[in-house]
Amino acid sequence: MKRLFYLLITIICMTCLSCSKSDNSARTVEDFDFDWKFQLGDSTAFASTDFNDSSWRSLHLPHDWSIEGQFSKSNPSTPGGGALPGGTGWYRKHFSVPQAEKDEDGNPLRSVFVEFDGVFMNSTVYVNGKEVGTRPYGYSSFSY
């Protein structure tokens, strides 16, 4: 009985190892938390690929700009919501797919997803100046 137990544990472990190896071999995951640009405010020009964001603040994620503001009971969040300021902030990230991962037309050879662990609320994501999605909810993970 003891041998059967060890045999079952060994088979389960080998099965789990082979599953994890096959799942990871075809997928590349990169940490996107570094080297973001941030600007408090809103403009339709911010979505353009030509927009010059060199004056924007450089930072790493996670980041919550509202906690840098002044606490006030007159802020839109009210004391029940933390008494912090509200508004719109833009985050930008510059990245490119390596040339070896592109076809002759410059398109990625594989699907590319950008995953967000959580954005406060009412987020809209643009890639290369094109809107790829909007999330009306906050603090939930999503990907495009």
Side-chain angles (χ1 to χ4, degrees):
M1 184 67 155
K2 198 173 189 181
R3 278 189 179 168
L4 180 60
F5 176 73
Y6 287 125
L7 180 62
L8 286 174
I9 294 297
T10 303
I11 290 171
I12 290 170
C13 288
M14 289 174 63
T15 303
C16 291
L17 287 174
S18 67
C19 289
S20 65
K21 284 182 184 176
S22 64
D23 289 344
N24 291 333
S25 64
R27 183 175 182 192
T28 303
V29 177
E30 292 186 30
D31 186 349
F32 256 42
D33 288 350
F34 301 96
D35 303 323
W36 284 80
K37 297 285 208 160
F38 172 75
Q39 177 66 41
L40 183 58
D42 193 16
S43 170
T44 56
F46 293 170
S48 171
T49 57
D50 299 358
F51 183 80
N52 181 358
D53 61 12
S54 62
S55 66
W56 287 22
R57 179 176 164 195
S58 294
L59 52 80
H60 304 307
L61 301 180
H63 176 253
D64 181 355
W65 65 263
S66 69
I67 63 171
E68 298 170 347
Q70 296 294 318
F71 290 90
S72 172
K73 61 183 173 185
S74 63
N75 278 333
S77 64
T78 71
L84 290 165
T88 302
W90 276 73
Y91 293 83
R92 290 177 60 119
K93 171 90 173 165
H94 297 268
F95 68 95
S96 59
V97 176
Q99 192 60 41
E101 295 286 326
K102 296 179 185 178
D103 65 17
E104 62 274 357
D105 295 324
N107 299 311
L109 294 171
R110 300 187 289 170
S111 296
V112 176
F113 295 88
V114 180
E115 297 179 356
F116 296 87
D117 292 333
V119 176
F120 175 53
M121 64 184 303
N122 300 327
S123 66
T124 302
V125 175
Y126 297 85
V127 175
N128 293 334
K130 294 182 174 79
E131 182 178 328
V132 294
T134 298
R135 296 282 301 181
Y137 312 110
Y139 299 123
S140 58
S141 58
F142 57 93
S143 65
Y144 296 110

